[in-house]
Every structure is written in C-alpha cells, then in structure tokens.
Amino acid sequence: METLFAAVAVDVRVFDELTYRVPEHLLDSIQVGQLVHVPFRNQRKTGVIRTLSTTPPDFDPEKIREVLELVEVEPIVEPAFISFLNFMADYYLVPFSEVLRVAVPSSIRTDGAKFYTPIEGATVPRDLVDIFESIPSGGEVVADIRKRSGIIFSKLADLESAGAVSVTYLDLAKVKEKKEKFYAAMDGESEGKLGAKQREILAYLRRRTEPVSGTELRGVFDNPYSSIKGLLTKELVKVWEESRYRNPFIDEPGPRKHVTLSREQELALDAILPTLGPDAFSPFLLHGVTGSGKTEVYIRAITKVLEEGKMGLILLPEISLTPQFVSVFRSVFNDEIAVLHSGLSPAHRFDQWRKIRAGEVSIVIGARSALFAPLKNIGLIIVDEEHDSSFKQEEGVRYNARDMAIVLAMKVKATIILGSATPSLESFQNAKAGKFTYLEMKKRAANQALPDVELVDLRESARVDGLEHLSEKLSIELTACIDKGHQSILFLNRRGFSPCILCGSCGHQWRCEACDVSLTYHRSQESLRCHHCDFIIRLPEQCPTCANKRIGPKGIGTEQLSDILSANNKKYVVSRLDADTGKGKKLNEILKQFREGETNVLVGTQMVTKGHDFPNVTLVGVISADSGLNFPDFRGAERTFQLLSQVAGRAGRGTLEGRVLIQTYDPSHFALQCASTHDYHSFAEQELERRQKFQLPPFSSLIAAKVESGRSETVMRAAHKWASIAKGFVRREKLSGVVVKGPATAPFEKLRNKYRWQVLLQGTRKEVRRVALFTQDAFEEQRGVKVIIDVDPVNML
Ligand code: ADP
Ligand code: ZN
C-alpha cells in the first residue's frame, strides 16, 4: 500500500502546517477536515488535516513522524470548506492556521467538549468492552475519561463508529455564562451628606433612564465602587445581576405581512428561483433602490431553497443595527434560524456553531463571521448591503466577507445574491462585465415616490441665530416637520478626528495631483500630505481660489449638535445615535424610542443610515456632505454617494412623502449631483471613468503593507526598506504592471501609540501578489516593527 502523508494545521505560531505519515491503521478512516493528534517536539498537539497526499515532503523521510490518533471520526470541517479556507489563506497571504483560527471556534478546534454516554444493550467490539464499561452510565466528558483511564481518542472514536456510545456536546453557554452587575438610581432623598463623587455618580444614574452596567460606570468614574457602596447602603441606588450577553435574538418576531409581489420583485425572482434547484454557481447583483422590497425577494428565495432541501446563509453588515431585519425573517422561518453576531459570548457562539453543525437550523443570519457557519448543504448565500465597508475585517486575517462569500458560493456550487441600493463599483463592474447577472428594481415596492432631494449651498445660505450649523432652510423645514407631528433624522458624518482641511469660505479642498486623493492635515508639522505617495506642501496661508484666510479643520460633532438643537426649540425631543451612545442595550432603546415616537429628532453618524424603516420620518437633513469627499481615500466619492443615498432612503418610507436636504460647500460635485437625482448609473459611469484613468480598483488590485512601530525613526527606516526591496524586485523582474507607491506616512500617523507608515502595491492581481510575497519574505524581521499585509485594503487611513 502506498504511504499517505497528511499536512496538518496546528496551533503553533511558527509552523503553519506540519507533515506527518498516516499510520496503517488509520488509512481507512482518515479524511481531510478531521481533528487529529500529532506529536510536536515532546508534546501532543491537536490539529486539522489540511491535505492528504502520496507525494512525500521534501525533507528527510526518516524524520517524518506519524499521526497519533483521530480525535473525531467525523470531520470538524467539511472537505469543501477546507478547500475554501485554503483559498483564503492563499489569497490573503496568511498562514492557514490563522484562517482556521478565525473560522472554527477554539473550543471545537482543540479537544472539543464532547460528552460520551454509553448506549445500553449495544453490541460492543470485544477489544473495546473494557473502555465501554468504564464509562459511567450517566455519561462523561472526554477529558475526564482520558484522565481516568489514559485511553486514546481513536478508541473512543471506534466506540462511536460502532454505535456503542452517543455523543453530545456540553452546553458551554450554561456553564460559562458571564453575569454583570447593573445599577439604577432609586427615588428618595439622602439623609446624611453625600461625598462629591457620590453625588456625581447619583446624578449620572438619575440622568440615565435605564440601568447602567458596572463596566460603563468604571469607564466614566475612576474606582467608583467605594462610593457606590455608600449609595447602596443609603438605598439611593439599587444593584442586581444580569447576563452580560444579549439573547441572540434582539427583537421578537413581528407579524408576517402578506404582500403581493411588485412586477420588479417578480422579475427578479423569475431569474433567481430556477437557479436554486441545480448545484451550480449562480451569482446575482440585486440593485434595488431603498424601499424596493429586497427583503421580500430574499424571503421568497430562502423559502424555495429550503424546499429544495438546502440551506441558506445571510450576511449583514452590522446585525445589531438592523434588529428589524432578523425579526421579519423570524416571522416567517421561526426556529429554523441561527443568529451569529459580535454580541455573542464565546460560549453562545459555540452553542450556535454546534446547533448549525448538527443540522438543527437551516438558515444562518449573521455579520461577516457567519461566513464560517458550518452549514452542510448551502444552496443560497445572500449578502445584503454588499457595498458596506464593515464586511472587511480590519484585524487578524483581513478578509472581505463579501468577496469570500462569492468564493464560497463558487466552491459549494450555490446561488449568491449581492443586494444593495448602491452597489460597490467592484460588483457593478462585475455585473457590467457579465460575471454577475444584473437585476434592477427601480421603484419602491409600495409605489411610494423616492424622496425629493435638494442640495443646500452653505456658501450662500443664511443662518438662524444660535444654529449656525443649520442653513436657514433646513432650520425652517425641521420646525415645520416637527410641528406636523412627523419625525426627522439629521445625519452628521463626523468622527472624533478630522484629518481633512478646507477653505471656510469657498470650501476649496487640496488634492494630490498624482493620486487624486485629498491631502491630509498633519498638525505637528503644519503640513498637508498625500498618504499614497508622500507628496507634501506647507499648510497654505490662504485659499488659492478665493484668497480667504479662514483655513482649517471644519465641523461639529453629533453631541454638540444635539445639545444645540434641544436648547434651541422645546419641541425637539432629540436623541443621538453614534458609536458613543449606540452600544448594546442602549442602541435598541434609542431605536425603539424613535420608532415609537417618544423622540422626534434623531441625530447620528453612519449608524442612522443603515436599513432602518421608520415610516413617520419625512425629513432627512445632512449637516455636511463634504467630509466624506475630503477623506484621503480614493473611495471618498463612492462612500459619499452611498451614504447620501442610504440616508436619503430613510425619508418617506411610509405613506407620507419624504424630503431630504443636503448641506454642502461643493454642490456641483458629481457625487452630490447624482445622489440628489437618485442617479446611480450616472454616478457609476463617471466614477468608473476616473478609476480607470488613475488605474484604481476595480481596474487594478491593491495590496497595502502597513508598517507599525512604537518608534518613529524605526518605522520610517523599516518602511523605506520594505519599499526598496519591492521596487528592486519589480525592476529586476520587469513587472511593468506594478507601481510601488510610497513609503508614506499613514493619514493617521500615530494610532494607539504606534507610528504608522504604508507602502501601496498597485497593479494586476498576479503581479502585486508576487511582489508582496517576495518582499515580505526578503524583509528581515526586526524587533519592534510589525508589517501588516492588507490585500484589497478598504481602510486607507
Ligand atoms: P429595501 O431593503 O429594498 O430597502 P424593504 O425590503 O425594507 O426594502 O421593503 C420596504 C418596505 O416595503 C417594507 O415595509 C416592506 O414590508 C414593504 N414591501 C415589500 N414588498 C412589498 C410589496 N410587494 N408590496 C407592498 N409593500 C411591500
Ligand atoms: Zn499622491
């Protein structure tokens, strides 16, 4: 018999995979995807079989050791899925074991939490009787069996295949559920005097209408506990414990709405449904304006795929922002759904994983990591809001879940629907090139008009006293909207920091002529820089177009704006939704209050733009459309167009007509013009032309090398070194299709105490990949320097 070699991915940092010989007694049962034990130095390690081959590895065959045993007979990862993970490792230039770490929960990857129960009256193979009888009749955890009897996994696996034991998994969620303390103020006056800190904490708790977690209090006050203790004894505050993690389901299922499909929905389904039977890769781009009823299309498609006996996977950008989406699905599919999101504890996650793998559910809805849900027979993958940048993982394995979902659909021969009102240019270009079937829904499902959008020129508009961030027009319309008893959303795309700079009078922005991105303001050197090619100019003293001298970072934050609004008009009941307020329970509370009409103005960042459906919102205001255009990122215009279209899509979704006012210093910009006329096609055409001219994606591939170090000298030298190796290689190999840009400081030069530089490789996929691999290999590791390779980077900051 031929010798078989197994490449095994193990959890050992330095080695990605190790090769072992398969011992004869395992030849019949060994499979790709199984969990095995292998010797490593003088230890025993758990690993996953990545490939099996008869070709011996190219090192001394004498030195090859043998696989020790199988942990489980059934592969923990399907072989088709291993092939998908192999692709990912290869594509993102990361070790396979890292991909595995992302894809499979650690409790599964290591020894698992198997629980063996002997089956009474089973026929037990002779040589296993001893072991069988040693297991208590109530069952036992695998680790305990091993500790007690010293037996090896393959014996247990043999027992399992002989049908002598039943195997379940421990309910880790129950065992390890984390609790947290919550505090709330009680009514009543204090008798004795309170300390300053006690008063502060009490005031804080009174201001907040809902319980406050210990974690939050620790974040706001230093060492709050001794003060809280006093408040507890005085009975001014009460405390109790709650599970820290939310139920995987955030909303209760709503009632099922029965709708008659619109003509456009019907046409889309006519194209999709016939592909759900056969096992074939069928990709669709479903381009449907906001409110066109994409969800209904998804529901019908999922219904069909379940009828075919297959399963469905739905990826959403941020599940906690769209509880309504899940609740609509639950109203149709009930308990057939598992939900995966970042709010789940490891134990809950493990539980869901197990449930999915056991085939107890047939639909998985989740954020990007749901891509790795162990569904056995996927027939349909849906990526909703496919253009959203949060599908890109920004640490560890930097994968894009949208892109990998396409690869997965290819590997498992499934249908995939990418849905969006504003498709990414990558997907749109794929549709144009005939790689995806393009389906368009131009009308809203219930025939409501798309909202009327107007651009308000901030250079020319008057202001109302005390509200200088709102044009007179927006201010008047806001009052009118609230007076009518309607609601309004005000969108402010401003994060804490502002690397962009513009003329306060005419709105002029400075751009790099070579890279066509905005220049970034670096306060420490009073300079403007291009973070792609490191072009630098001094901070200008006056604007070249209008000679004005008011040049500087611009803007106002969400918090300030909500305060100003509340102070300005008593009828405004304002709530704020941003990364500071919109966490966990608080988020649902804010959305619920707004939905139920307890608040009438919702001020917020990107978070307000995502798929919400508030029928009573008739006015949407965009405080400034310019910050996105100013971002030092070649996708700035695309992001702005997407954001404006999404935020506009929140208006007039019910029976009332909607109106949108977009304030800007640059009303002639094509992204704003196209957003105001709901003209995606014209936007895409102009932007694609620009991308082609500058050879930017989707007309080229990018790989970024992000260099980080705690010392600015070191990082600069390392970045230059990396770039020069890359440039040398490109020259030697005559790779005419690659441009090496940089090194340049990143727009955020210093983040979390790390200095940051980057080098960009731009060109054909094959060649940039070669350059990155070679350079990364040739670049000598240096202490204190980290080089992160980001394939298809999304965050250019
Ligand atoms: P999208 O995701 O495309 O923005 P939704 O799927 O949220 O849109 O649908 C918007 C609204 O239209 C929802 O309230 C939905 O119930 C409703 N709707 C969907 N299809 C129909 C239809 N055929 N007739 C009437 N209303 C519909
Ligand atoms: Zn440049």
Side-chain angles (χ1 to χ4, degrees), residues 338-617:
V339 173
L340 296 171
H341 60 74
S342 58
L344 295 181
S345 68
H348 264 127
R349 178 170 296 277
F350 170 78
D351 235 36
Q352 295 281 326
W353 201 92
R354 186 173 54 81
K355 219 170 144 183
I356 297 164
R357 186 169 168 231
E360 288 168 30
V361 295
S362 38
I363 303 167
V364 173
I365 303 182
R368 55 177 180 253
S369 65
L371 183 62
F372 306 111
L375 282 167
K376 287 222 171 96
N377 187 8
I378 302 180
L380 173 63
I381 302 176
I382 292 167
V383 183
D384 192 34
E385 311 287 356
E386 66 87 29
H387 63 276
D388 198 291
S389 58
S390 59
F391 281 120
K392 180 78 192 308
Q393 164 83 20
E394 291 294 356
E395 53 197 38
V397 181
R398 294 170 181 240
Y399 65 96
N400 187 319
R402 190 249 344 258
D403 298 344
M404 288 303 109
I406 299 167
V407 174
L408 179 61
M410 234 182 255
K411 295 269 179 198
V412 301
K413 301 194 172 60
T415 295
I416 180 165
I417 307 174
L418 306 180
S420 174
T422 51
S424 65
L425 291 175
E426 282 83 354
S427 297
F428 189 63
Q429 182 63 23
N430 275 332
K432 270 178 73 174
K435 290 188 195 157
F436 299 165
T437 305
Y438 180 68
L439 303 171
E440 191 172 16
M441 302 200 293
K442 297 182 188 171
K443 293 206 205 95
R444 285 187 161 176
N447 252 324
Q448 310 97 313
L450 280 169
D452 170 43
V453 182
E454 186 174 330
L455 299 175
V456 180
D457 190 338
L458 284 175
R459 292 169 304 188
E460 295 176 350
S461 66
R463 306 289 204 276
V464 178
D465 268 356
L467 265 182
E468 68 262 34
H469 296 282
L470 300 194
S471 58
E472 188 173 32
K473 185 166 227 156
L474 179 51
S475 165
I476 289 170
E477 294 206 14
L478 179 61
T479 312
C481 164
I482 301 305
D483 282 345
K484 270 188 264 174
H486 299 169
Q487 293 175 298
S488 174
I489 293 178
L490 297 181
F491 168 65
L492 187 53
N493 185 19
R494 159 122 166 141
R495 314 206 253 170
F497 28 70
S498 167
C500 54
I501 201 154
L502 65 151
C503 167
S505 163
C506 76
H508 175 86
Q509 306 152 19
W510 283 263
R511 299 178 83 77
C512 172
E513 297 198 352
C515 306
D516 202 35
V517 296
S518 301
L519 298 180
T520 303
Y521 174 49
H522 287 253
R523 184 171 304 164
S524 52
Q525 292 111 13
E526 287 292 303
S527 64
L528 299 179
R529 289 182 167 197
C530 171
H531 77 105
H532 286 187
C533 70
D534 215 27
F535 168 74
I536 303 182
I537 54 170
R538 278 185 56 79
L539 183 67
E541 297 196 338
Q542 62 177 43
C543 171
T545 21
C546 74
N548 182 285
K549 291 198 172 154
R550 281 194 302 135
I551 288 167
K554 277 215 71 94
I556 173 182
T558 40
E559 186 171 6
Q560 206 184 341
L561 180 65
S562 11
D563 290 350
I564 295 175
L565 286 168
S566 310
N568 189 267
N569 188 333
K570 284 207 184 61
K571 288 186 194 148
Y572 299 158
V573 190
V574 185
S575 56
R576 170 164 69 98
L577 186 60
D578 55 27
D580 298 331
T581 63
K583 279 185 215 136
K585 291 193 171 173
K586 186 82 183 146
L587 168 74
N588 300 312
E589 197 63 18
I590 294 170
L591 292 176
K592 192 162 159 248
Q593 280 171 354
F594 192 64
R595 198 177 312 147
E596 290 172 0
E598 285 170 42
T599 55
N600 55 25
V601 181
L602 182 63
V603 171
T605 55
Q606 270 95 317
M607 290 172 109
V608 302
T609 66
K610 315 254 163 162
H612 309 296
D613 200 0
F614 301 117
N616 201 30
V617 170

Side-chain angles (χ1 to χ4, degrees), residues 232-249:
L232 287 171
T233 12
K234 293 198 167 80
E235 294 191 344
L236 291 168
V237 167
K238 61 180 170 179
V239 64
W240 66 97
E241 270 193 342
E242 259 180 46
S243 167
R244 192 159 119 200
Y245 295 101
R246 282 168 288 152
N247 179 323
F249 299 118

Side-chain angles (χ1 to χ4, degrees), residues 130-295:
D130 281 355
I131 299 167
F132 178 78
E133 289 182 344
S134 79
I135 303 173
S137 60
E140 196 172 15
V141 192
V142 64
D144 289 346
I145 302 179
R146 285 168 52 89
K147 223 183 293 160
R148 189 168 39 68
S149 59
I151 53 165
I152 55 172
F153 274 112
S154 53
K155 297 270 179 184
L156 287 170
D158 289 347
L159 267 183
E160 189 181 346
S161 21
V165 289
S166 71
V167 177
T168 50
Y169 287 87
L170 270 192
D171 193 351
L172 282 186
K174 284 220 180 82
V175 182
K176 291 194 180 162
E177 192 169 55
K178 284 234 172 84
K179 300 256 182 180
E180 178 157 57
K181 290 200 161 118
F182 283 84
Y183 300 87
M186 289 171 58
D187 292 331
E189 290 297 310
S190 105
E191 288 175 11
K193 247 187 107 170
L194 295 178
K197 194 168 187 179
Q198 289 184 328
R199 281 203 305 276
E200 267 178 58
I201 293 176
L202 189 60
Y204 184 83
L205 291 174
R206 289 213 162 127
R207 260 203 316 280
R208 299 284 309 268
T209 48
E210 64 183 76
V212 172
S213 70
T215 313
E216 178 176 338
L217 278 183
R218 270 199 310 281
V220 181
F221 302 97
D222 288 337
N223 299 318
Y225 288 118
S226 60
S227 311
I228 289 176
K229 235 168 152 185
L231 292 170
L232 287 171
T233 12
K234 293 198 167 80
E235 294 191 344
L236 291 168
V237 167
K238 61 180 170 179
V239 64
W240 66 97
E241 270 193 342
E242 259 180 46
S243 167
R244 192 159 119 200
Y245 295 101
R246 282 168 288 152
N247 179 323
F249 299 118
I250 298 164
D251 265 17
E252 286 307 305
R256 170 77 176 120
K257 265 207 257 178
H258 283 280
V259 297
T260 319
L261 291 178
S262 72
R263 179 85 190 114
E264 290 182 324
Q265 285 171 323
E266 250 173 33
L267 286 174
L269 284 165
D270 283 348
I272 296 166
L273 297 186
T275 68
L276 296 171
D279 287 334
F281 172 58
S282 315
F284 293 93
L285 174 60
L286 179 60
H287 178 193
V289 297
T290 53
S292 58
K294 293 186 285 296
T295 318

